[in-house]
Amino acid sequence: MFSFFRCLCGLVVLPLMLVRPVAAETLTLPLPAGRETHFAFESGLLELALQYAPGDHSLEVISLEGLSQKRMFNMLDDGQVNVLLAGYSREAEADLLQIDYPLTKGLQGYRLFITREDTFEALDDVANQDDLKSVCIGSGNSWVDTLILEHAGLCVVGGPGHNLYTMLENGRFDVMHLALHELRTKSVMNLISQHGLMVYQNLLVRYPYDFYFYVRRDSKPLHDLIEQGFQAATENGAIDKYFQAHPGIAYATRFLQDHPDLRIIDLGNPEMTEHNSADIHRYWLEN
């Protein structure tokens, strides 16, 4: 009877193991047309992760006019695309497979206020969450941030994200909020200038939140492939180098270092599950 190995002339010969090559994957990522530059940091991170994943893979960004989050999720469900970028939510975590890497290491939840000159000084009196309730905040209708702010009992006025600057200029609310690293993007700086707005730099609202990549629940091999890439790129130090080289991230980290007396108001995120808060924080900036 043959065993799993043969003994020939005193030598143990192990059976030949065939290593199956990893099939090349083309990842298709939908983004709203005109927002490719805004999300270039995140799509660049995915390309970096693919370089460190086993096999030879590529990323194709599909730009679509008027792309809503609902349409994006439907495209993934229908198989028109195979990966998407979205802000964390319980629904996304439950319905899809999440790549467990917070793309900005939590900076997406570090928010500064953009305001008008006539309301600028009033923010000097805001020191805590109760004080913040006197300020009406503009926020995108589909942003998870809006749910977080509303859950904190704050005054929130929703609107299309691209219209918030005009709404603020016209006095529909007192301030709007953006992530710290987003404030140095060319498009945001142009909009702030165009609408005669100002950034208030003495107060930061912070909550646990970030963007993640997601795939369908039946795409476990693809999920594992991307996650392996992120883990390898992290261990190699490639992601840290990518962070340091990005103007927005570099600005955000310098800003936090240069403002040790910054007033910070911490809010909870009702969307965070036990898994996400426990498993993800190891990557976050404060760690």
Side-chain angles (χ1 to χ4, degrees):
M1 178 178 293
F2 290 95
S3 63
F4 285 105
F5 60 86
R6 298 175 182 175
C7 183
L8 298 175
C9 299
L11 295 177
V12 177
V13 181
L14 295 177
L16 178 64
M17 300 297 293
L18 296 178
V19 178
R20 183 176 298 174
V22 178
E25 291 276 2
T26 298
L27 275 67
T28 49
L29 173 70
L31 290 177
R35 301 280 283 172
E36 300 89 350
T37 301
H38 185 84
F39 292 113
F41 172 78
E42 290 84 359
S43 60
L45 262 180
L46 182 53
E47 287 184 307
L48 180 63
L50 291 179
Q51 292 176 24
Y52 284 84
D56 184 16
H57 315 288
S58 60
L59 174 65
E60 178 185 356
V61 173
I62 300 175
S63 302
L64 297 168
E65 292 288 344
L67 179 65
S68 66
Q69 183 162 291
K70 181 178 180 181
R71 181 184 173 194
M72 184 171 61
F73 276 73
N74 287 338
M75 290 179 68
L76 182 68
D77 187 52
D78 294 342
Q80 299 177 55
V81 297
N82 56 12
V83 62
L84 60 80
L85 170 69
Y88 172 79
S89 68
R90 286 175 180 263
E91 179 183 7
E93 186 184 41
D95 294 345
L96 305 171
L97 290 179
Q98 176 177 290
I99 311 304
D100 283 343
Y101 194 93
L103 298 179
T104 70
K105 298 185 179 181
L107 273 176
Q108 195 67 37
Y110 286 60
R111 318 295 284 195
L112 283 185
F113 288 134
I114 300 171
T115 188
R116 301 182 304 273
E117 185 176 2
D118 64 297
T119 56
F120 190 87
E121 290 187 2
L123 294 174
D124 290 340
D125 297 325
V126 177
N128 53 50
Q129 186 172 334
D130 284 337
D131 294 338
L132 192 56
K133 292 178 180 179
S134 66
V135 179
C136 220
I137 305 170
S139 192
N141 285 327
S142 62
W143 297 0
V144 175
D145 311 80
T146 302
L147 299 176
I148 295 170
L149 297 173
E150 289 175 341
H151 184 263
L154 304 179
C155 173
V156 183
V157 176
H162 62 278
N163 283 346
L164 293 177
Y165 298 89
T166 300
M167 294 171 70
L168 176 58
E169 181 184 12
N170 293 336
R172 295 282 301 277
F173 37 77
D174 302 314
V175 301
M176 62 174 285
H177 63 95
L178 279 183
L180 185 53
H181 65 281
E182 294 176 331
L183 291 168
R184 300 306 291 179
T185 60
K186 185 176 181 181
S187 60
V188 168
M189 294 173 69
N190 287 341
L191 285 167
I192 290 173
S193 175
Q194 175 186 334
H195 292 277
L197 303 173
M198 310 167 68
V199 178
Y200 187 80
Q201 298 190 352
N202 297 321
L203 176 67
L204 181 89
V205 173
R206 182 174 62 185
Y207 40 81
Y209 177 63
D210 215 325
F211 281 105
Y212 297 86
F213 287 112
Y214 294 90
V215 300
R216 285 170 31 153
R217 281 214 160 266
D218 59 1
S219 299
K220 186 69 164 58
L222 180 59
H223 166 275
D224 293 347
L225 175 77
I226 299 171
E227 203 157 86
Q228 286 175 41
F230 272 105
Q231 290 171 355
T234 298
E235 293 168 2
N236 178 272
I239 286 185
D240 282 340
K241 290 179 182 178
Y242 181 86
F243 264 61
Q244 294 163 8
H246 188 272
I249 298 295
Y251 164 78
T253 53
R254 282 197 310 270
F255 180 90
L256 294 172
Q257 293 168 0
D258 294 343
H259 293 77
D261 298 325
L262 183 67
R263 282 174 283 140
I264 299 177
I265 299 176
D266 283 307
L267 304 178
N269 182 350
E271 289 289 294
M272 292 292 283
T273 63
E274 183 177 345
H275 161 76
N276 220 50
S277 59
D279 195 46
I280 299 303
H281 273 79
R282 68 184 185 274
Y283 292 115
W284 284 35
L285 187 71
E286 62 265 33
N287 292 337

